[in-house]
Amino acid sequence: MKALFTFAKDFAEEAANKQLARKQDRSVRELIAGLAVTNPSAVQSVDARAQRIKHELACNPINLAGLKRLTFHGIPENKDHLRGLVWKLLLKYLPTDQEDWSVALARNRTQYHIFREGVVVVAVVFGQELQGEDVTREDHPLSLDHGSRWHTYFKDNEIIQQVERDVVRTHPDMHFFTGDSEESELHREEMARALFMYAKLNPGLCYIQGMNELIAPLYYLFKTDPDPMAARYAEADCFWCFVELISEFRDHFCQQLDNASSGIRATIRKLMLVLQHHDMALWKHMEVTEKVDPQFYAFRWITLLLSQEFAFPDAMRIWDTILSDPHGRMDCLLRICTAMILNIRHVLIAGDFTTILKTLQRYPPVDVNVLLQMAAAMPSCRSVLGAPV
């Protein structure tokens, strides 16, 4: 009798799970099917959207909320080169009052120059002077004293070498970053200098591998600006925009905070909770049945803001939305990651450990606008989790 009761209970649970899976599978299909009736500003012509963005930019002061509603659906890449200006506004590098732009730019660019002279130039000259000095007991090259000038010199050299190694590997398919020309060399030099500056001014975090991938889109965008003044000061502008961008995500780079509420593991857990909300059956198959650790794919997705999962132009398009999302950048990022998983549900739900991992680590070709529209149709992560992300 007891065995019969257990069998009936298991049968009922299995039936309930299948019903839940069908329901969630249907909800995912409905989400994808519903993309055709999303906000009309998402499907308007490129020229029309560009004109609306230019109209917002012509206002003074600029209505940032209104601008975000437009740029959330993408900033057209045309002769107007709007993206560079818009990103500077979205990253709060430029104030909304256009009359303050020249003052703000002059102040920030001058401040960067002062920092650069005080940090980078001094480090180089300092090293040259040390190598010409007589060694003393108090300041020996092998001294372990953190106050030693030699210790500082070796530490700086270590940072510079790591930064330069990573910058050389940035987008190897793009001549802008990895070419042999003097121009490409200048690009690498300026990017490396900006990252070294960040490391010196933020000793608690310093430089972590991967930061080069976050500064690259900013530097590329500003350096290719047709405005000669914007291109000339791309290094300074990208530095300040990078500081603002990473301020929200910097805890993901800090190993000591991996297990903290703001660390990368907590963020990945939030992503899995959002996935459970949208598709419990898929989450269970991936993480419980096949035991795929989400850190194997989501760590890179989140820390690098998806910059390595898609072609460079597609990554720029994704950043348009992340920087413009009314619910916040982190909330938007997690919804896009969720959309990426749901979009290939048919592959994942039928796959084993190896198939799932390979598919998510090398995401298949896709129209990123489909993913972004899926993410836009989802409720905010804050509402799903009942707490800020």
Side-chain angles (χ1 to χ4, degrees):
M1 186 69 180
K2 183 177 180 181
L4 182 61
F5 176 77
T6 302
F7 172 79
K9 181 181 178 182
D10 292 343
F11 181 81
E13 287 181 352
E14 183 180 356
N17 288 335
K18 287 182 178 179
Q19 184 178 9
L20 177 62
R22 286 194 297 271
K23 180 180 178 181
Q24 290 180 322
D25 191 25
R26 184 170 64 252
S27 67
V28 171
R29 291 198 304 270
E30 290 171 352
L31 180 64
I32 296 173
L35 296 180
V37 291
T38 53
N39 193 312
S41 57
V43 294
Q44 65 183 322
S45 72
V46 170
D47 289 340
R49 190 160 68 253
Q51 287 302 317
R52 293 187 64 188
I53 293 174
K54 288 169 68 176
H55 177 75
E56 286 290 345
L57 292 173
C59 299
N60 195 33
I62 294 171
N63 180 350
L64 202 57
L67 181 63
K68 284 183 176 182
R69 281 194 292 271
L70 294 172
T71 58
F72 178 82
H73 299 289
I75 303 170
E77 296 184 49
N78 55 21
K79 57 182 174 57
D80 296 309
H81 295 275
L82 298 172
R83 181 175 278 143
L85 175 59
V86 171
W87 279 22
K88 288 175 182 177
L89 286 161
L90 298 179
L91 288 166
K92 302 175 184 176
Y93 182 58
L94 288 177
T96 54
D97 190 334
Q98 298 189 40
E99 294 181 0
D100 296 334
W101 284 5
S102 58
V103 174
L105 288 172
R107 181 183 63 248
N108 289 326
R109 289 166 178 173
T110 301
Q111 186 67 67
Y112 179 79
H113 178 76
I114 293 172
F115 283 159
R116 194 178 74 178
E117 293 299 304
V119 172
V120 180
V121 175
V122 168
V124 174
V125 174
F126 177 63
Q128 293 171 348
E129 290 178 349
L130 277 180
Q131 293 177 30
E133 283 186 0
D134 293 332
V135 175
T136 65
R137 179 175 297 180
E138 291 77 17
D139 207 359
H140 192 278
L142 300 181
S143 173
L144 298 179
D145 182 6
H146 284 212
S148 164
R149 293 182 301 166
W150 279 100
H151 180 274
T152 302
Y153 170 67
F154 288 134
K155 186 67 175 176
D156 285 352
N157 267 348
E158 186 179 318
I159 296 171
I160 290 171
Q161 290 173 13
Q162 184 181 0
V163 169
E164 290 178 343
R165 280 197 302 269
D166 290 346
V167 166
V168 167
R169 293 195 290 258
T170 304
H171 294 287
D173 57 327
M174 294 180 64
H175 184 271
F176 179 92
F177 295 108
T178 59
D180 296 327
S181 66
E182 291 184 6
E183 189 177 30
S184 299
E185 181 64 34
L186 174 65
H187 298 162
R188 292 192 292 271
E189 179 183 325
E190 291 187 344
M191 280 178 56
R193 191 160 52 216
L195 290 168
F196 177 68
M197 283 276 295
Y198 181 83
K200 290 292 289 181
L201 296 173
N202 295 270
L205 183 60
C206 201
Y207 170 80
I208 305 296
Q209 187 177 33
M211 289 182 177
N212 58 303
E213 302 295 349
L214 295 185
I215 205 172
L218 299 169
Y219 179 77
Y220 173 85
L221 187 59
F222 302 157
K223 195 65 177 179
T224 56
D225 195 303
D227 177 3
M229 287 296 286
R232 178 182 177 183
Y233 291 103
E235 179 185 337
D237 293 350
C238 84
F239 169 80
W240 291 114
C241 288
F242 173 76
V243 170
E244 167 62 25
L245 176 67
I246 205 170
S247 64
E248 188 172 347
F249 303 100
R250 57 175 288 151
D251 288 356
H252 293 158
F253 287 91
C254 186
Q255 189 174 6
Q256 291 84 350
L257 296 177
D258 279 356
N259 295 314
S261 59
S262 59
I264 184 62
R265 289 176 182 168
T267 301
I268 292 175
R269 283 196 297 271
K270 291 173 185 175
L271 172 61
M272 291 300 99
L273 289 173
V274 174
L275 177 61
Q276 289 176 39
H277 171 82
H278 289 285
D279 197 330
M280 177 64 78
L282 179 57
W283 169 82
K284 187 175 182 180
H285 174 73
M286 292 169 56
E287 195 162 341
V288 179
T289 304
E290 296 301 328
K291 295 179 171 54
V292 176
D293 188 338
Q295 291 190 71
F296 292 158
Y297 58 91
F299 182 91
R300 188 178 68 186
W301 290 8
I302 293 170
T303 55
L304 302 186
L305 305 189
L306 300 173
S307 62
Q308 292 296 287
E309 311 313 313
F310 303 97
F312 194 75
D314 287 343
M316 300 277 274
R317 168 64 190 91
I318 290 172
W319 280 28
D320 288 343
T321 294
I322 290 176
L323 296 179
S324 305
D325 194 283
H327 300 295
R329 299 166 195 164
M330 184 75 76
D331 195 296
C332 182
L333 176 61
L334 293 186
R335 280 184 281 119
I336 296 173
C337 291
T338 304
M340 289 171 64
I341 297 172
L342 296 178
N343 187 59
I344 51 174
R345 183 187 196 278
H346 62 290
V347 176
L348 302 176
I349 198 70
D352 58 9
F353 176 92
T354 303
T355 300
I356 294 171
L357 195 57
K358 284 185 176 180
T359 303
L360 293 174
Q361 287 184 335
R362 297 191 65 179
Y363 199 81
V366 65
D367 181 351
V368 295
N369 289 294
V370 171
L371 297 178
L372 294 174
Q373 290 176 43
M374 287 180 67
M378 296 176 184
S380 70
C381 296
R382 177 173 188 149
S383 65
V384 169
L385 301 173
V389 295

